[in-house]
Structure formats: structure tokens, C-alpha cells
């Protein structure tokens, strides 16, 4: 009816201040184009990526933690039985006690590589890598989250292996220098995490990643003094072993348990090896960061 007036809906004026960008004198709803919203480190995004990676390997922990622990423990059983559990000493301790620390850190390094090398590669193959590239994470945060999760898996595997070896007859896991166990264990896990991330960037299929693991990582770890002293080698092979960063990880980690190492005859030699390993990891981290920054084999 004509006398019934419908209430008019108030029109939103053009250029309402609440919808403008960077409104002068008043707080706009949206920031200006190109103005960063997240400054500094994206802590929530970094933590979310870390938790996502940790939950991924914990969901299949039988395969990612306990199976590597059992397979590494079997190395100890086989070699101690083959070498004879009695009468053979290395660095003043029985062979089982000598080889146990090397096997623990070797299992940590190999699983750190396996974890970080799977993250980007699986996304590239399955087409889900966009889930890692689209969130507001910088290259450093992306690298940090993946590496931290890989180190976490390495610690879990090392704990599982050490727990099994602690109950094996003849093995003594008493700590002589705890700082060396912590430092060389973490540095070894970080080094292999970075190498795994670099391998996943380069690889285009799982065969490529397996080739790096089988023909590079496994030989370098097994031929780095895990089961022997490099003093037993010819001089030329001793020199080659000392150029292998895996040697310093394994020997330094063993020094933390036994108080003795074939890095050198003094504690200063082990400290110099620890410093050198830290510098090597810094250079490796910078190289991986630059590769991620370039988008090589990641962004088409």
C-alpha cells in the first residue's frame, strides 16, 4: 500500500573508510598492497610445519623408528658374534662397547637423511608440493621446519637403538663426555638432514633418492670407522677417511662414551673436530638455503 513505507536500507557509501587500504588517520581493514603482514619469523607457520612433519613419521612409527632400531641392533649382534664376544678389545674396551656408539649415530644419520629427503620429493611426485610452497613461509623457515623434524626422528631412532643395546651383554654405554654425545649427535643429524633436503630437491623420482642413499650415504657412513680404527688402514686411506665428515661424527660421538677417539690423541683434537663440523654444517645450510631460494627443480 502507498501509505506503508518500507524502511530503506542504508547504502554503503563508495569508498567507505572501513574497507579502504591504508586509511589515513584511521585504521583500515586491509593493509596496503605490498605491505608485509608477518614480520620477522613466522613462528606459527614454522611450528605447524614441524608438527606436520613429526606427525607424519610418528603415524608409521613401526616403519620409521622401531624397524631402523631393530635393523641397526642386528648389526651389533652379527658383528660381535662374528668377531667373538670375548677377548677382542679396541681402544681399551671390548668390541661390542667400541662399536655400539658408532652404530647408534649411524642409525641416527641415515634416518635423518631418509626423513628430510622424503618431504619435498613426495610432494613433487604426488603434486602436493604446493602445500609447502604456498603458505607464508620463507625459504629459511621451510628448511628449518623440515630439518628440525628430521633431527627429531634421528633422536627417536638413536634412543630406540641405545635402549636395545643397553640390554645386550657386554655393552657399556656409560658417558665419559656428555657434551660430545650431544654435539656430534646433533651435528650428524643436521648434516644428513640438510643433505637429504638437497637430494630431494635434485631428485625427480624415488629411484634418484635411493641411488644417493645407497651409493653415497651408506658407503660414507660404513667406511668412516664405524667398525674399525682408521689407524689400521694404509696411510693413503687414512687421509681419505679424514676428509670424510662422517668420520668426525662417528669418532666424536664415540669419544663421548669412551673418552677415547681416533680423531687425535688429545681432547683438543676432538674439540677442533667439533668446531670444524659445526662450520661445515653452516656452509652446507647456506648452500641448501641458496638452492631453495633459487627455486631450482621446485618451481616450474
Amino acid at each position: 500500500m502507498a501509505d506503508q513505507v518500507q524502511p530503506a536500507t542504508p547504502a554503503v557509501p563508495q569508498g567507505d573508510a572501513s574497507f579502504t587500504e591504508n586509511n589515513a588517520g584511521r585504521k583500515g581493514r586491509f593493509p596496503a598492497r605490498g605491505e608485509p603482514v608477518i614480520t620477522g619469523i613466522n613462528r606459527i607457520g614454522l611450528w605447524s610445519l614441524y608438527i606436520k612433519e613429526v606427525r607424519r613419521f610418528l603415524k608409521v612409527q613401526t616403519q620409521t623408528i622401531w624397524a631402523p632400531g631393530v635393523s641397526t641392533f642386528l648389526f651389533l649382534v652379527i658383528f660381535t658374534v662374528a668377531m667373538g664376544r670375548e677377548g677382542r678389545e679396541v681402544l681399551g674396551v671390548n668390541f661390542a662397547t667400541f662399536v655400539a656408539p658408532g652404530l647408534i649415530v649411524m642409525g641416527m644419520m641415515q634416518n635423518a637423511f631418509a626423513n628430510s629427503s622424503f618431504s619435498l620429493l613426495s610432494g613433487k611426485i604426488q603434486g602436493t608440493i604446493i602445500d609447502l610452497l604456498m603458505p607464508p613461509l620463507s625459504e629459511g623457515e621451510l628448511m628449518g621446519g623440515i630439518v628440525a623434524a628430521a633431527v627429531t626422528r634421528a633422536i627417536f631412532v638413536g634412543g630406540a637403538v641405545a635402549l636395545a643395546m643397553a640390554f645386550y651383554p657386554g655393552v657399556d654405554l656409560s658417558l665419559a663426555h656428555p657434551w660430545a654425545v650431544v654435539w656430534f649427535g646433533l651435528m650428524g643429524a643436521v648434516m644428513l638432514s640438510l643433505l637429504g633436503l638437497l637430494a630431494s630437491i635434485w631428485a625427480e623420482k624415488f629411484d634418484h633418492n635411493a641411488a644417493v642413499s645407497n651409493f653415497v650415504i651408506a658407503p660414507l657412513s660404513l667406511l668412516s670407522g664405524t667398525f674399525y680404527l682408521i689407524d689400521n688402514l694404509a696411510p693413503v686411506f687414512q687421509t681419505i677417511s679424514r676428509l670424510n665428515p662422517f668420520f668426525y661424527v662417528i669418532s666424536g660421538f664415540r669419544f663421548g662414551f669412551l673418552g677415547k677417539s681416533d680423531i687425535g690423541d688429545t681432547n683438543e683434537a676432538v674439540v677442533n673436530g667439533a668446531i670444524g663440523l659445526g662450520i661445515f654444517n653452516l656452509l652446507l645450510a647456506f648452500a641448501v638455503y641458496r638452492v631453495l631460494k633459487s627455486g631450482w627443480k621446485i618451481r616450474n
Side-chain angles (χ1 to χ4, degrees), residues 225-247:
T226 305
F227 303 101
Y228 56 84
L229 293 175
I230 66 169
D231 294 340
N232 298 330
L233 301 176
V236 62
F237 291 105
Q238 291 186 32
T239 302
I240 294 174
S241 295
R242 292 187 180 278
L243 296 176
N244 180 5
F246 288 59
F247 161 74

Side-chain angles (χ1 to χ4, degrees), residues 19 26 40 56 59 72 75 84 88 101 128 134 141 149 158 178 192 200 207 211-212 228-229 257 272:
F19 290 94
R26 298 175 62 183
R56 178 178 61 80
K59 192 172 184 179
T72 306
F75 273 108
R88 182 176 178 84
T128 59
M134 282 299 293
E141 292 163 351
L192 268 294
S200 68
D207 286 350
V212 176
Y228 56 84
L229 293 175
F257 286 92
N272 290 336

Side-chain angles (χ1 to χ4, degrees), residues 51-129:
I51 291 298
K52 175 250 183 189
E53 290 292 310
V54 170
R55 287 178 176 175
R56 178 178 61 80
F57 73 75
L58 284 180
K59 192 172 184 179
V60 287
Q61 59 181 283
T62 303
Q63 174 187 349
T64 57
I65 297 177
W66 301 111
V70 171
S71 61
T72 306
F73 175 72
L74 288 177
F75 273 108
L76 175 68
V77 176
I78 293 170
F79 275 89
T80 52
V81 171
M83 301 298 294
R85 289 175 55 183
E86 300 293 340
R88 182 176 178 84
E89 291 189 354
V90 185
L91 289 179
V93 297
N94 63 67
F95 182 75
T97 300
F98 166 80
V99 78
L103 287 174
I104 293 173
V105 74
M106 184 182 71
M108 292 174 62
M109 291 191 296
Q110 290 181 345
N111 283 275
F113 177 88
N115 198 82
S116 62
S117 64
F118 182 82
S119 299
L120 287 182
L121 181 58
S122 62
K124 289 164 66 176
I125 293 176
Q126 298 172 2
T128 59
I129 193 172

Side-chain angles (χ1 to χ4, degrees), residues 1 4-9:
M1 298 176 62
Q4 293 180 346
V5 180
Q6 298 293 334
T9 303

